[in-house]
Amino acid sequence: MASDCLFCRIVAGEIPSDQVYADDDVIAFRDIAPKAPVHVLVIPRRHLDSIADLGLDDASLAAALVNAANEVARREGVVESGYRVVTNVGSDAGQSVGHLHLHVLAGRRMAWPPG
Ligand code: AMP
């Protein structure tokens, strides 16, 4: 755990979150500033700066993240209507928290391409 990492502190329970899913490898909780009616963040319990740190040695963790995103969509009831899974890497992409996270967004029509 990185003690100065916001999401590590959420994993540790030091900062509260509205958790919607958890397993041995990942947790998912509602974004504090939602950009859609459903906006959930899926994060690994283990600290990684971004998806750029995921390699072939992390195949099971990558699968766990995708599985959790799909499970969140099922629990939120948006599988039929659709959902977007996105992850930002670095400053040009707008990453503001340096702990890998997948955004699961749903509940409204999404524009494409993203801004
Ligand atoms: P990104 O900008 O892609 O790094 O996404 C970071 C996301 O974390 C943003 O959508 C923020 O609204 C969200 N966020 C920041 N702090 C918290 C928090 N304490 N609990 C839940 N979501 C948060």
Side-chain angles (χ1 to χ4, degrees):
M1 167 180 166
S3 60
D4 57 347
C5 170
L6 174 64
F7 286 177
C8 282
R9 296 185 69 197
I10 286 177
V11 170
E14 295 174 6
I15 293 175
S17 68
D18 185 359
Q19 195 168 293
V20 298
Y21 174 83
D23 64 29
D24 288 347
D25 298 311
V26 312
I27 67 169
F29 52 91
R30 296 192 191 285
D31 197 291
I32 203 167
K35 311 301 186 296
V38 174
H39 189 175
V40 173
L41 302 175
V42 177
I43 75 170
R45 291 181 183 273
R46 173 161 67 95
H47 183 90
L48 296 168
D49 288 348
S50 77
I51 202 170
D53 284 352
L54 268 186
L56 290 176
D57 289 346
D58 307 303
S60 67
L61 180 57
L65 288 162
V66 172
N67 176 69
N70 289 335
E71 181 59 24
V72 166
R74 281 191 286 273
R75 292 184 182 192
E76 296 295 314
V78 297
V79 171
E80 292 302 319
S81 52
Y83 54 105
R84 180 170 290 171
V85 180
V86 63
T87 188
N88 296 319
V89 180
S91 58
D92 270 6
Q95 184 177 5
S96 61
V97 178
H99 181 127
L100 194 167
H101 49 283
L102 304 184
H103 297 259
V104 180
L105 297 146
R108 65 166 171 81
R109 294 287 291 188
M110 306 276 165
W112 190 263

